[in-house]
Amino acid sequence: MSEETVPAVVLAAGEGRRLDPLTNRRPKPMVPVANRPILDYVVSALAGAGIDRIVLVVGYRQERIRNYFGDGDDWNVDIEYVVQDTQLGTAHAVLQAEAVVDGPFLVLNGDRIVDPSLVSQVRDAVATDADRPVLSVTRSAHASDYGVVSIEGDRVTEITEKPTAPARSELINAGVYGFSNDIFDAIRETPTEKGELAITTTLETILADRPASAVREHDTWLDVSYLWDLLSVNAAILGDDKFETTQESALEGAVATDTAIGTDVSLGANATVGGSTALGDNVTIQPNAVVSNAVVFPDAVIESGAVVRDAIVASNARIGANTTIAGGTSTVVVDGEVHEDVDFGGAIGDNATLGGGVTVDPGTVLGDDAVVDAGAHVTGRIEPDAVVRRG
């Protein structure tokens, strides 16, 4: 079986609610890292592995994906689309591609950045033995946050999704799969849990009868599950020469080398852009401002004397003069789950405005279109369209 006959199905239909407010106007795979959507890295990895046919499973805000990728010519691949109208789980998303794949195929998550070598290994494994599912695995210090995998030699014997008991293994599901068309019948036989069909549940059923082939990841595996992950993944990409990053604007002044600079970015006198920072197109950094370890989306404005550290500033947001997002560790609650000692200065939603002299506590999340009056102090989660006045 030649590599060209193995297509890839990429799951990109989800909303990504844990990244709210960044996903209110864009699907999670289109959230930018180093000025490129997460999904761009996935498609590029597939192209780099020699995959020339990609099926994108889209749904939520799908027009953003279609407009960006088109038919795939810019990546020298053929891209086609199938729609998951309602997000009913990863296995349900795979099922939407049944009519357009025939024979061995790959499945990848559209929100995890992997190396082309991992894609190649999974492709070769499923092309060699299409009767046995292929599952990629990697190590994680936080295995319980993912699907914990048990292996014997080069075989996966068990997978447990987000176990409540202490994980017995540091190996987790890396989210690159190789399947034959038999997977579709297995999905239809999978029980629904909490209204969703999960591919890991399907795999648990398969593994109860026979092992799957294991492919170990030894290079790049970057996952954006939470807002603060966007900062760490952005830093990892900017610090790794193998990733292509943009330096479209030539900025004079104090700009670190590990940065991504979009087009038409303006940097005022004595402003500083520290390391691990991405500035999107048309961003304005006014005089004496400091931006470091930050992801700044297009069209945002950071006014004179402001300090933005360890933070995400979404599109068209405005950070007022002398406002401080100081960064540092915090405790953040997401969907009722408490995350302690997180390095996260905060996130400012699309079109939000912070007036001058505002102080933002670490871990603050400001919703889209929210307004904070000059001199106010904000902390915690602020709802979209809220107005915060100085107390």
Side-chain angles (χ1 to χ4, degrees), residues 244-255:
E244 179 182 347
T245 57
T246 59
Q247 295 290 341
E248 300 293 347
S249 299
L251 300 181
E252 296 183 0
V255 180

Side-chain angles (χ1 to χ4, degrees), residues 361-372:
D361 280 351
T364 297
V365 177
L366 190 69
D368 293 343
D369 302 293
V371 176
V372 180

